[in-house]
Amino acid sequence: MPHFALTIIGRDRTGIVSQVTEILYRLGCNIADSSCSILGGQFAMILIISHPEYTDRESFGDVFAPLEETNLSVFLRTLRPGGEKRPDLQGEICMISVYGSDKPGIVYRVAKELGDRRINITDLNTKLIGSESRPVYVMMIEAVLPDHLSIEDLTQMLDHLKEELQVDISVRSITPVEL
């Protein structure tokens, strides 16, 4: 069965998730995977969906027009076979937290350190918290460590970034739960 990546972006307001999922439900679509977030004042949503009878983007016709009429941007992409499957990620899962003053380069420098060590970033979120007069930049990264690297090793490898960027960086293991 073909799978599709559906992306919705627009000014945040209540009811977007309900509106999108109602359309998908009424169509008979299955939601295999999804992620939603508010970025600045924009709501962003990406879903991996499937339908037993739809084979390409044209199959959907204008079913997403009601979303566009409410000033949401809608993008639908047909995935190649296998593109809907979650990758088999081998290694220890960890959470990397970064806190500090907002400045250019924090995301790049941390992501580069991880990439150079073949650490797979599976989720990354940033936001400003605190007050307008004392904002704090927060970055949360979920990552998978290669077999040869431990949490302790990674913590030591990131120590120089703490000094250079004047941020606090912590790494902790996330133990997967099996149901």
Side-chain angles (χ1 to χ4, degrees), residues 75-136:
F75 307 94
L76 185 68
R77 177 177 176 219
T78 304
L79 299 178
R80 292 183 179 162
E84 77 284 359
K85 295 186 177 140
R86 181 174 209 98
D88 182 23
L89 302 172
Q90 298 294 317
E92 185 170 6
I93 301 171
C94 68
M95 181 65 69
I96 302 163
S97 308
V98 180
Y99 294 86
S101 296
D102 188 18
K103 64 179 85 73
I106 295 174
V107 176
Y108 164 69
R109 294 291 308 280
V110 174
K112 175 138 180 50
E113 289 290 329
L114 300 178
D116 287 350
R117 289 167 175 75
R118 311 284 301 151
I119 297 169
N120 189 355
I121 296 173
T122 57
D123 194 38
L124 185 149
N125 290 287
T126 65
K127 64 176 66 182
L128 280 174
I129 62 170
S131 66
E132 200 169 312
S133 62
R134 295 197 55 161
V136 177

Side-chain angles (χ1 to χ4, degrees), residues 91-92 94 113-114 116-120 144-157:
E92 185 170 6
C94 68
E113 289 290 329
L114 300 178
D116 287 350
R117 289 167 175 75
R118 311 284 301 151
I119 297 169
N120 189 355
V144 180
L145 302 182
D147 289 334
H148 67 276
L149 192 63
S150 72
I151 297 285
E152 294 77 23
D153 293 337
L154 178 59
T155 299
Q156 287 180 339
M157 290 174 190

